[in-house]
Amino acid sequence: MRDFQAPGRSASYAAQGMVATSHPEACRVAIDILRLGGSAADAALAASAVLCVVEPQNAGIGGDSFYIHATAAGAVRAYNGSGRVPSALDPHDTGPIARTHGNAVLLPGAVDAWMRLHADHCRLPLGQLLRPAIALAEDGYIVTPRVAWDWEGSAALLAASPTARAQFMPGGRAPRAGDRFADPALGATLRAIAQGGAPAFYEGARAEAMARTLRGAGGSHDAADFADHRGTPVEPIRGDYRGLTILECPPNGQGMTVLMMLGILDRLAGGVPADDPVKFHHLMAEVTRLGYAERDRWCCDPAFADIPLDRLLGEAHLATLRAQIDPSRPGPAHRPLDVEHRDTVYLSVVDRDGNAVSFINSIFTDFGSGIYDAATGVLFSDRGTSFSRVEGHPNALAPGKRPMHTIIPAMALRDGLPLLSFGVMGGHYQAAGQVQLLCHMLDGGLDPQAALDRPRSFATDGVLDVESGLGDGAIAALEAMGHRVRRVSRPIGGGQAILIDRARGVLIGGSDPRKDGLALGY
């Protein structure tokens, strides 16, 4: 039981359905869809579209989406909606890819993922599901505090782009909390998708306009690349932790990292000390160091290289990694591919029938590449910066290739049935964040909200980043162990989770306090 005299909020409880998102508008829309008889997939699609409007710094149809869908009976399907490198790009003609260069932009995969989710799992018409997002884009929405804070932090990026500056810096400044903001061009594109589906986005005048804008920014895109784009249905990879089956999307996503880290912890002598912040954050730093080293060595597009998942997730390998953890001091630093805690949007939905959707959408860095196509209202991601520039690396840049991808929806099953639909935002932090969330819930006994409220840390490049919620005493103890601790000014990630309590017929949801959203049920 939480301290009701302390800041914070209770988990959300409901019986019929529940949504958890990072923005109140998305929650309201998703609950309305569920009340109208829509499925979890219907609500997730509608909420994702809303988030692509009201959180332009984190999500958009110029980025990517992944999802895991589980029926109440345990039938699971997943989709990898990540974009690929344009076919004409020659990696030998490019040096390090600047975030704001057209080569940082891959083919957008989000709309294709929406269409697959709609075709396979939705009940309501596409136009009905996109209508709220269209209205918010065309008529405007009220900017919320976290969105405004992120926006102000990206002012320099937006000001450097003529088209982005005109759209996202009205009056020469970032909108403040409480301001109204609209993107009519995005609304028109969403309206076209509602009427014409994927071809309205990936073919014809809109595809030509987007390709033209990207070529103008130095990219090699053409309309044929857009027309050829398809995501990939995937079989989730699985691991065990505390008697549960954890589902993750396979590479090129980093979900393999979560399963490796949990596999190390599941048989760790002494267990996970979730109630001791010093021991807990030291252990999280160590398992992150080990798991991310394996990720950065192996994770890539499996169409371009073999990834030995069976070996990486096998007990013999996990035991070797587990043996490298010293409970009293940190091991050798691992230098990661990228240490910035970039953001995204994640949402979870469970409907009255017990179907669950774990859904994620991203344009990677805040406001992505900063490249905005004024004709379509599409702001493009900078996901191409996730490729390795080391020649011969499995994650090296190549035409038609997908990079190692940070966004990872997740699901936990008990006895083959969905128990927990969850995800953590924060770019490269996501794998470590999922592990911390699960440990707080399964080892510490916390509900989803209390687990999301806990202070976070992230070990990167020999430095342990910690949030302000971790006390001075704990920080001093970690430093005494040998950690180089850095207090961060930006919150580490975000997250949502919905727990399905079948015994009582109750849904229990949590939404990260680091964002503007909530968990809402009925």
Side-chain angles (χ1 to χ4, degrees), residues 189-512:
T189 294
L190 290 172
R191 188 178 294 278
I193 294 168
Q195 296 169 350
F201 181 79
Y202 290 105
E203 301 174 17
R206 284 181 173 80
E208 291 170 1
M210 289 188 286
R212 187 164 52 248
T213 291
L214 292 170
R215 287 196 303 272
S220 58
H221 308 67
D222 63 30
D225 288 317
F226 282 83
D228 290 343
H229 173 75
R230 298 292 185 278
T232 308
V234 292
E235 178 67 25
I237 54 177
R238 299 171 181 238
D240 296 325
Y241 189 70
R242 303 299 187 247
L244 303 184
T245 301
I246 311 301
L247 305 184
E248 299 282 349
C249 289
N252 56 310
Q254 66 167 332
M256 58 181 277
T257 318
V258 177
L259 300 185
M260 281 189 288
M261 294 168 69
L262 292 174
I264 294 169
L265 294 172
D266 199 35
R267 299 189 184 183
L268 188 71
V272 175
D275 58 348
D276 184 322
V278 176
K279 292 180 180 179
F280 179 81
H281 288 286
H282 168 70
L283 180 58
M284 291 300 109
E286 291 305 284
V287 75
T288 297
R289 173 179 63 85
L290 296 167
Y292 277 58
E294 296 296 281
R295 181 200 76 163
D296 290 351
R297 180 180 179 187
W298 295 106
C299 191
C300 66
D301 187 337
F304 287 76
D306 291 330
I307 305 171
L309 278 177
D310 288 344
R311 182 182 70 80
L312 293 172
L313 299 177
E315 175 53 26
H317 183 64
L318 296 175
T320 300
L321 297 176
R322 194 180 298 122
Q324 298 176 43
I325 295 177
D326 186 327
S328 62
R329 62 181 182 180
H334 164 63
R335 187 172 185 83
L337 292 176
D338 193 317
V339 298
E340 290 189 54
H341 312 318
R342 296 171 175 179
D343 252 322
T344 180
V345 297
Y346 169 80
L347 63 95
S348 184
V349 186
V350 178
D351 64 28
R352 69 183 68 181
D353 298 319
N355 304 307
V357 175
S358 184
F359 190 101
I360 200 160
N361 175 281
S362 176
I363 57 171
F364 201 25
T365 314
D366 283 2
F367 288 97
S369 63
I371 301 171
Y372 176 76
D373 177 44
T376 61
V378 175
L379 180 68
F380 296 100
S381 82
D382 59 335
R383 185 62 65 173
T385 59
S386 290
F387 283 107
S388 171
R389 299 307 301 174
V390 176
E391 187 173 354
H393 191 282
N395 190 42
L397 181 70
K401 192 173 183 179
R402 301 168 297 181
M404 188 283 291
H405 220 292
T406 58
I407 65 175
I408 45 173
M411 192 88 68
L413 310 181
R414 173 179 285 160
D415 299 327
L417 303 180
L419 173 74
L420 181 68
S421 177
F422 69 100
V424 173
M425 300 170 266
H428 291 275
Y429 171 71
Q430 289 181 44
Q434 286 192 12
V435 171
Q436 291 181 29
L437 174 65
L438 286 173
C439 288
H440 283 313
M441 292 186 66
L442 303 180
D443 296 287
L446 300 182
D447 65 42
Q449 187 61 56
L452 290 164
D453 288 348
R454 281 294 176 95
R456 291 177 177 156
S457 65
F458 187 34
T460 60
D461 198 15
V463 176
L464 183 60
D465 286 342
V466 300
E467 293 184 323
S468 60
L470 196 62
D472 291 342
I475 290 174
L478 287 165
E479 289 176 332
M481 295 174 75
H483 288 281
R484 293 171 53 207
V485 179
R486 176 173 59 195
R487 299 173 188 260
V488 294
S489 59
R490 181 186 177 105
I492 300 177
Q496 270 76 236
I498 300 176
L499 180 68
I500 303 171
D501 183 342
R502 282 190 172 75
R504 297 187 294 169
V506 172
L507 302 172
I508 306 170
S511 184
D512 207 296

Side-chain angles (χ1 to χ4, degrees), residues 107-118:
L107 279 303
V111 172
D112 168 76
W114 286 357
M115 296 305 104
R116 176 53 70 106
L117 183 67
H118 188 260

